[in-house]
Structures are given as structure tokens and as C-alpha cells.
Amino acid sequence: MHFDVIVIGAGAAGMMCATQAGARGRRVLLLDHAEKLGERIRISGGGRCNFTNRSVSADNYLSQNPHFCRSALARFSQWDFIAMLEKRGIPYHEREHGQLFCDESAADIVDMLKDACDAVGVRWAMPCAVGEIRQLTDAGQNGARFTVDSEKGHFSATSLVVATGGLAIPKIGATPFGYRLAEQFGLAVIPPKPALVPLALAPEVLEPIKPLAGATLDAIAEFGTARFRENVLITHRGLSGPAILQISSYWQMQEYQAGKKAPLQIDLLPGIDAAAWLAEHWQSRMLLPNLLAQQLPRRFAHEWCALLGGERWLKRPLSELGKRDLEQAACALQGWELMPAGTLGFAKAEVTLGGVATDALSSKTMEAKQVPGLYFVGEVVDVTGWLGGYNFQWAWSSGWVAGQFA
Ligand code: FDA
């Protein structure tokens, strides 16, 4: 019951790590409590898995240490993962913003990783609930440094790799296991928060924009220096759509700072100088909502004017609106401020912000600096990618790196 390497969590990062450690001749056991293998890969990207992105850099990730991910991303890059797929003959295609998806099914990737594990003799214990983990003070003759109690027996290992992911979508098996284990070994954990998540608006903010629910806009969502131009969707609970999911991760970073929270801004007219455009029409007999309907959905333009300017903006032609009205409208069009009340939580989040503090880990190996033989890979670590294949790339890269050393 002794293994060179025990990997806990047979998701993207865990399977990648197991294939690599196995290929080095290490005896590897992969443990997972789930019934189904790689469920998060299988359901991702609408069943097609957005497995990586053509353009990946540390700038696409959020972390308390934004440089931490550099080394792993460089050592096992998007091109290395693409080469794996091509070798296996998995067809894929590119969508906007360099996102790469399987042509047929995300299950192709699960099968590829499962076969790669089997080819190097990885042993599986799944489904298998994992219990107590202990560090041995004196390494045994076989080099055992850790013991793992589980439903399928009592195991020991020289290296222990924790690849248990984050907290998003608890109903498919997400648990705080990795964070608890890190704390057990004295590693700091940056409090996990939902990220890439729809934002909720407070009832008093939501009520007046409720008539806008269902509207989809090509807009720029901004928070601090982060800006994303994609669709923004107004929902009956708040804001969603890719631009909002992207900006939500940055908005959530405020949770780690003391002080008053700031709102986010939405530029409703990306690429247009709203002040100049409105000024061109200041003598027009047209109504403001009708002018805005040239650039925005008609219903949205109407409700937005009602919300921000009331009867005045709805009923008076532009020529009768004063300079201040037009300035105010231009300002709000280019930076509509909305203060989220929070997020829709882990149940609706795609990933987790925060996790095992990177200070405690080596960026070259993913090993805990103070606990030889203990590794953390994938989403459990405080590295969170943008929407667009970046989170899987982090899972592949960090899992691959740990697999060279564990
Ligand atoms: P992952 O969550 O994949 O694996 C963790 C494993 O650990 C699971 O198999 C789990 O069962 C197991 N585990 C957890 N607790 C355990 C315990 N206590 N005992 C034993 N086993 C335990 N990213 C991207 O780049 N492109 C995309 O298209 C998508 N799409 C997407 C859709 C949806 C709906 C979600 C929720 C997420 C995405 N993501 C994504 C994010 C991506 O799925 C995620 O970042 C990676 O799967 C993380 O890989 P890990 O291996 O770290 O964790």
C-alpha cells in the first residue's frame, strides 16, 4: 500500500500530474471521491471544453502574486497541450479571443488523460472518500513521508499532490479539502471567493432596471485598470454575460482590501465618443431614446433614459435638452456606474479566487517550501484565470510541473 506519489483529485491538474510522474517511473495512485471521472472537464465549454487559449501570459491571471504562474506556464505552455491533442488526433477549433475548443466532445480530453495515466501504470481509487492525512516524522524504509486514510484503505506515499480544485459548483463534487489540508500543514490560504460569476444588484438598484432584464449589449465592463469588451447581459437578478464574468473576478479582489467597495462602470458605446456624438445632434428634434436606439437595443435605450433622465429625457427633443443634460447623458453612456450587492455565489461561479497562498509554494515545482514532498496544483492554488481557456491551461501547466518533481 505504499506509493511514490499519491495524487488527491483526478481532475485536470491531478490527471496531468499523474501522467507525468508515472512517465518518470514513479508508482502513482490517483484518488478521487467522485463517481464520474473528469466531470468538470466534461461539462466545460458547453460540452466542448475550452481547453486553452492561443495567447496565454501571466497577465491573464489574478493572484496575490501575479508573477507566480509565469514559470509553470512557460515550462508547459498552451502549445505543449495543443501538441498533446494533435498527437492524439483530437480535432479542435478556434473561436473569438483565441479560445480553443474540441470539435466533438470534451470527453475526448478526459479519455486522452485517462489513457495516458493507464499507459504509465497509474493506479486508481475512485470513488473513494479521503480521510485523515498525516505527515510521518521519520521517513520509513520505503521513503514514506505521508499516510492517507481512505475508504479504500490505508496508504503511504513519499510525495503527496493535492489537486482537489476550488469551490465552484459544489453539486459536482467541489470541497474545501485542499484548503483544510494546507492549513493543517501551516500554509496560508487566501480566503476563497466566487469568481467568473454573475453579479447581484441590491433591490433598490435592481428595481428600476428590471424592465431591462433580458437585454444583451456589446459593452465594456471596467473596474480599476481592467477592461473587457464583450456582451453584458441584464438579468432579473443583476448582471451577467462574458464581460461581467471577467470583471467580476477583479471586483471580487476588493474583498481582500479593507475600506469602502467601489462600483464598476459600463461603457455602453464602446469605440464611440459619446460627448461628440450627442453634440452633433444637439439641435435635432429627435428624442434622446430614439437617437440612442441607433446604437443600443431600442427597449434598452428607452428604459435607460427613463432610469437616468426621467420624463425629461423621454419626452423632450434633443434641441430642448440643455447642455448639462447632454453632458450628463454622455458621461453615463460612457461610464454607467453600477454597484453590485455581491455575486450569485459558488453555485453559479466558474472558478474560485484565492486559495493556497503562493508564497508558501515553489513556482518551479509547486512543492510547499516548508513541507518536503507536499505539492498543490490547479485551482486549489491562489491563481485564477480569465474566462477563455486560461483556467484549464493553469491546471495543465501546474500539474505538469509538479509531475516532473513529485
Ligand atoms: P477540478 O475541479 O477539475 O478537479 C478536482 C478534483 O478533485 C475533482 O475530480 C473532485 O472530485 C476532486 N475532489 C475534490 N474534493 C475532494 C475530496 N475531498 N476528496 C477526493 N477528491 C476530491 N476553465 C477553462 O479553462 N475553460 C472552460 O471552458 C471552463 N469551463 C468551465 C465550466 C464550468 C461549469 C465550471 C464549473 C468550470 C469551468 N472551467 C473552465 C474552470 C475549470 O473547470 C477549472 O479551473 C479546472 O477544472 C480546475 O482543474 P483542477 O484539476 O484544479 O480541479
Side-chain angles (χ1 to χ4, degrees):
M1 294 306 234
H2 175 76
F3 290 87
D4 296 322
V5 184
I6 293 181
V7 181
I8 305 180
M15 282 196 279
M16 177 59 88
C17 179
T19 65
Q20 295 305 307
R24 286 170 44 236
R26 305 283 276 164
R27 282 176 307 124
V28 182
L29 174 68
L30 199 39
L31 280 172
D32 199 296
H33 67 167
E35 295 278 340
K36 279 200 201 154
L37 179 63
E39 191 57 2
R40 209 162 285 256
I41 302 175
R42 228 179 272 274
I43 63 164
S44 66
R48 296 268 163 85
C49 187
N50 176 197
F51 56 84
T52 191
N53 195 290
R54 273 199 183 280
S55 162
V56 178
S57 81
D59 296 343
N60 305 117
Y61 294 87
L62 293 86
S63 168
Q64 297 296 315
N65 175 2
H67 302 294
F68 179 82
C69 59
R70 266 180 216 285
S71 171
L73 293 173
R75 295 197 60 209
F76 187 81
S77 72
Q78 69 273 36
W79 308 114
D80 295 312
F81 191 74
I82 292 167
M84 271 180 82
L85 246 67
E86 289 181 348
K87 190 165 168 219
R88 171 88 174 188
I90 297 176
Y92 64 91
H93 61 277
E94 184 174 342
R95 296 191 195 163
E96 57 186 358
H97 308 298
Q99 303 173 86
L100 300 181
F101 287 78
C102 296
D103 281 358
E104 284 157 18
S105 167
D108 289 345
I109 292 184
V110 180
D111 294 346
M112 174 183 80
L113 293 167
K114 163 96 173 55
D115 290 350
C117 286
D118 289 341
V120 294
V122 170
R123 298 265 301 272
W124 301 82
M126 192 181 165
C128 175
V130 182
E132 199 182 348
I133 310 248
R134 267 170 297 182
Q135 186 181 19
L136 301 173
T137 39
D138 295 318
Q141 277 186 341
N142 51 16
R145 289 193 284 209
F146 302 95
T147 61
V148 178
D149 282 338
S150 84
E151 214 180 21
K152 297 255 158 83
H154 180 75
F155 305 106
S156 64
T158 309
S159 296
L160 184 68
V161 181
V162 182
T164 46
L167 295 178
I169 323 255
K171 68 175 184 214
I172 53 166
T175 71
F177 181 91
Y179 310 130
R180 297 293 94 83
L181 195 72
E183 285 164 349
Q184 177 189 328
F185 283 98
L187 278 65
V189 173
I190 309 299
K193 310 275 174 205
L196 297 181
V197 62
L199 295 171
L201 294 172
E204 64 278 12
V205 184
L206 192 58
E207 197 50 43
I209 69 164
K210 253 190 185 158
L212 303 179
T216 304
L217 312 160
D218 167 26
I220 298 175
E222 289 186 61
F223 184 76
T225 53
R227 283 165 64 87
F228 293 93
R229 179 173 179 174
E230 288 200 55
N231 279 346
V232 168
L233 183 66
I234 307 207
T235 71
H236 63 287
R237 295 181 68 182
L239 303 168
S240 189
I244 294 299
L245 299 187
Q246 297 279 32
I247 213 71
S248 72
S249 304
Y250 288 86
W251 190 77
Q252 283 285 82
M253 286 292 271
Q254 292 183 97
E255 292 275 335
Y256 301 130
Q257 291 141 21
K260 215 170 142 220
K261 286 222 182 109
L264 50 87
Q265 271 99 32
I266 298 178
D267 179 349
L268 295 167
L269 297 178
I272 294 177
D273 179 342
W277 182 55
L278 292 185
E280 274 170 35
H281 297 85
W282 72 277
Q283 284 182 315
S284 163
R285 297 295 300 158
M286 208 190 297
L287 297 176
L288 180 61
N290 292 346
L291 178 66
L292 296 189
Q294 293 177 4
Q295 300 291 342
L296 295 165
R298 180 162 292 279
R299 190 170 65 90
F300 178 86
H302 185 273
E303 298 294 350
W304 187 84
C305 286
L307 176 66
L308 278 98
E311 289 290 294
R312 200 175 154 74
W313 287 13
L314 287 179
K315 300 266 169 69
R316 292 210 187 169
L318 282 152
S319 56
E320 288 178 27
L321 290 179
K323 204 171 158 219
R324 271 192 57 199
D325 277 305
L326 294 192
E327 278 170 5
Q328 192 194 334
C331 200
L333 283 164
Q334 222 92 72
W336 183 26
E337 273 198 359
L338 284 165
M339 184 65 181
T343 74
L344 296 200
F346 283 114
K348 300 283 177 198
E350 198 162 290
V351 286
T352 304
L353 192 70
V356 178
T358 54
D359 295 358
L361 306 175
S362 154
S363 63
K364 304 274 182 299
T365 64
M366 308 303 295
E367 188 176 18
K369 290 175 187 164
Q370 305 301 331
V371 189
L374 180 64
Y375 296 76
F376 289 86
V377 294
E379 203 180 311
V380 72
V381 178
D382 173 33
V383 173
T384 307
W386 289 4
L387 194 72
Y390 300 101
N391 286 294
F392 276 130
Q393 186 57 48
W394 169 246
W396 316 132
S397 298
S398 56
W400 187 92
V401 164
Q404 312 308 311
F405 296 93

